[in-house]
């Protein structure tokens, strides 16, 4: 009799464990399906919003990434709550305890609260968006993600910087409107400045005709300064955002070729040695 009871108890225990395991597997499968569907819905919603409201692509990426993060956290919380319910535990005290712990952390972790508040105003005031070229906390780079706690900046050497939002005391956004392309070209003191300026302007006009990203100029302003062995001529133009470096490189190449073709010297440092006997 005792052996029969033991076998029955063991069978019920194994059956209950298998049932719980099956429920957990079904919940996890449902979580994965909900996460996939939710991500698609959020992405498509922001794509339609961008088309209808003509929003800036960087702004769309910023809000979409933030929404996906919030959705992921909320879904994980629901998953944990359901799994706890499968084990017949009372969920209400857990939720209340989580609220109390969250309140205590909010009072104790003032830096975290400062991060969230600063991040909220960065998003609300549209100070920076994804793909903007910015200077933040002394670091230059392109914004990869703007969150409520940290902002991610990709430096031009490939380094990814995670900056706590509370350290962002000032923001320099270099991506608002057109950008300035500026180069300095040197000619020798023996060359005709007016002729050199005309040659350079012709080269700039040729580059402007080939590049649609140039919005104004480039214009040869004139003599910017005098060097030890050269006269420095400055050229300035306006380009689309993030295109200024490429245009500067192309202008330098075109100006060098134009000066060489017209026999105008680009000087190099000279030294005069005097020997006393």
């Amino acid at each position: 009799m005792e052996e029969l009871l033991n076998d029955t108890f063991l069978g019920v225990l194994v059956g209950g464990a298998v049932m719980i395991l099956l429920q957990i597997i079904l919940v996890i499968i449902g979580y994965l399906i909900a996460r996939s569907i939710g991500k698609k819905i959020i992405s498509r919603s922001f794509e339609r919003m961008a088309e209808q409201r003509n929003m800036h692509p960087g702004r769309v990426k910023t809000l979409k990434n933030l929404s996906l993060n919030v959705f992921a956290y909320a879904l994980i919380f629901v998953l944990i709550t359901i799994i706890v319910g499968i084990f017949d535990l009372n969920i209400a005290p857990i939720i209340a305890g989580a609220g109390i712990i969250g309140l205590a952390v909010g009072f104790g972790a003032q830096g975290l609260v400062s991060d969230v508040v600063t991040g909220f105003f960065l998003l609300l005031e549209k100070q920076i968006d994804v793909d903007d070229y910015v200077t933040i906390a002394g670091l230059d780079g392109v914004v990869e993600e703007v969150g409520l706690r940290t902002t991610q900046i990709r430096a031009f050497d490939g380094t990814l910087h995670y900056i706590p939002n509370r350290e962002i005391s000032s923001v320099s956004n270099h991506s608002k409107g057109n950008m300035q392309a500026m180069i300095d070209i040197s000619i020798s003191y023996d060359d005709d400045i007016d002729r050199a300026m005309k040659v350079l302007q012709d080269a700039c006009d040729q580059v402007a005709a080939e590049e649609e990203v140039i919005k104004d100029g480039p214009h040869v302003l004139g003599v910017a300064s005098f060097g030890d062995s050269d006269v420095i001529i400055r050229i300035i133009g306006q380009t689309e955002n993030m295109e200024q470096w490429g245009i500067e490189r192309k202008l330098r190449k075109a100006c060098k070729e134009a000066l060489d073709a017209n026999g105008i010297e680009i000087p190099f440092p000279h030294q005069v040695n005097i020997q006393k006997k």
Side-chain angles (χ1 to χ4, degrees):
M1 183 68 179
E2 183 178 352
E3 184 178 352
L4 179 62
L5 289 175
N6 289 335
D7 291 341
T8 303
F9 175 75
L10 182 62
V12 171
L13 183 63
V14 171
V18 171
M19 183 61 65
I20 291 175
L21 181 61
L22 288 175
Q23 289 178 344
I24 292 175
I25 292 174
L26 290 175
V27 169
I28 293 176
I29 292 174
Y31 161 77
L32 295 175
I33 294 174
R35 186 181 66 174
S36 177
I37 295 174
K39 285 183 176 180
K40 290 180 179 178
I41 292 175
I42 292 173
S43 298
R44 290 177 181 175
S45 299
F46 277 100
E47 288 174 2
R48 287 196 297 268
M49 184 185 300
E51 294 175 358
Q52 294 172 359
R53 300 187 181 182
N54 195 24
M55 295 177 63
H56 188 275
R59 186 65 179 170
V60 174
K61 288 182 182 179
T62 302
L63 296 177
K64 184 178 76 173
N65 291 340
L66 181 63
S67 300
L68 288 173
N69 288 335
V70 173
F71 172 72
Y73 291 141
L75 205 58
I76 291 174
F77 179 77
V78 172
L79 173 66
I80 295 173
T81 303
I82 294 176
I83 291 177
V84 170
I86 291 175
F87 291 96
D88 293 329
L89 298 176
N90 192 358
I91 300 176
I94 296 176
I95 297 176
I100 294 173
I101 293 173
L103 186 62
V105 171
F107 281 113
Q110 296 181 3
L112 178 61
V113 175
S114 178
D115 286 338
V116 173
V117 172
T118 305
F120 173 77
F121 280 106
L122 284 174
L123 294 169
L124 181 65
E125 297 174 357
K126 302 180 182 179
Q127 296 181 20
I128 57 176
D129 288 319
V130 174
D131 293 335
D132 282 355
Y133 166 43
V134 299
T135 300
I136 294 177
L139 299 171
D140 290 343
V142 177
V143 179
E144 286 210 349
E145 184 174 333
V146 182
L148 289 177
R149 194 179 67 83
T150 61
T151 297
Q152 298 179 24
I153 305 294
R154 177 76 66 178
F156 294 109
D157 63 356
T159 305
L160 182 61
H161 299 286
Y162 294 84
I163 304 174
N165 290 335
R166 64 179 177 273
E167 295 184 5
I168 303 177
S169 58
S170 63
V171 176
S172 299
N173 194 326
H174 309 291
S175 298
K176 296 298 185 182
N178 294 331
M179 300 302 293
Q180 180 173 276
M182 183 179 71
I183 64 171
D184 289 333
I185 300 295
S186 298
I187 63 172
S188 70
Y189 280 99
D190 296 330
D191 287 309
D192 188 310
I193 295 177
D194 292 331
R195 178 170 174 266
M197 289 176 59
K198 184 180 184 308
V199 170
L200 292 173
Q201 187 62 63
D202 291 341
C204 291
D205 293 340
Q206 181 64 34
V207 173
E210 298 172 355
E211 296 290 338
E212 295 181 356
V213 297
I214 297 178
K215 296 303 180 182
D216 182 54
H219 303 292
V220 179
L221 298 184
V223 177
S225 61
F226 297 103
D228 294 336
S229 58
D230 57 352
V231 177
I232 301 172
I233 298 176
R234 178 157 295 175
I235 301 172
I236 289 181
Q238 296 290 325
T239 73
E240 290 183 2
N241 181 29
M242 301 296 288
E243 300 291 341
Q244 64 271 25
W245 300 296
I247 295 301
E248 287 176 352
R249 291 191 293 269
K250 189 162 187 176
L251 283 173
R252 291 189 185 98
K253 179 177 181 294
C255 290
K256 171 67 166 61
E257 293 174 349
L259 292 178
D260 289 344
N262 287 271
I264 299 174
E265 179 186 357
I266 297 179
F268 53 89
H270 293 75
Q271 267 190 346
V272 177
N273 296 323
I274 301 176
Q275 294 183 349
K276 291 185 177 180
K277 294 183 181 180

